[in-house]
Amino acid sequence: LRTLFPVLEQTGFLDRYAAVVETGEPFEGEQEYPGPNGHFCYQTTIRKFGDGIVGNFIDITDTRRSRQQAEDALRLTQGVMDAVQSL
């Protein structure tokens, strides 16, 4: 993994994956991956399998961006409403 995806070590993901192997406790959560082809977000599940791991990665980049845009629009709308009420 270090060779194929060096960013895994830089972001600490490799340590999480190693912990799964060492403890047997699965990892589940969202991970951001700042790769060479852009910034991506994944819903990740890592489980121990024999002496290694098995991973499931679901790309949630578009969902995360849409959620952020909705939150930004809500803040903008709330700001406008607050401004109008103070007139």
Side-chain angles (χ1 to χ4, degrees), residues 34-68:
N37 298 323
H39 189 94
F40 299 94
C41 301
Y42 296 96
Q43 178 64 39
T44 305
T45 303
I46 305 292
R47 300 195 186 285
K48 185 172 180 170
F49 184 76
D51 291 335
I53 59 173
V54 172
N56 182 42
F57 302 89
I58 300 171
D59 186 346
I60 59 169
T61 306
D62 289 341
T63 302
R64 180 79 84 73
R65 286 182 185 145
S66 294
R67 184 177 11 170
Q68 184 61 51

Side-chain angles (χ1 to χ4, degrees), residues 63-81:
T63 302
R64 180 79 84 73
R65 286 182 185 145
S66 294
R67 184 177 11 170
Q68 184 61 51
Q69 289 173 344
E71 290 171 2
D72 292 347
L74 181 61
R75 276 193 294 280
L76 177 63
T77 301
Q78 186 62 51
V80 169
M81 296 297 291

Side-chain angles (χ1 to χ4, degrees), residues 5-17 31-35 39-40:
F5 305 103
V7 74
L8 291 178
E9 191 161 28
Q10 298 163 358
T11 56
F13 298 153
L14 203 56
D15 292 336
R16 286 185 184 161
Y17 302 165
Q31 292 183 290
E32 294 187 25
Y33 181 80
H39 189 94
F40 299 94

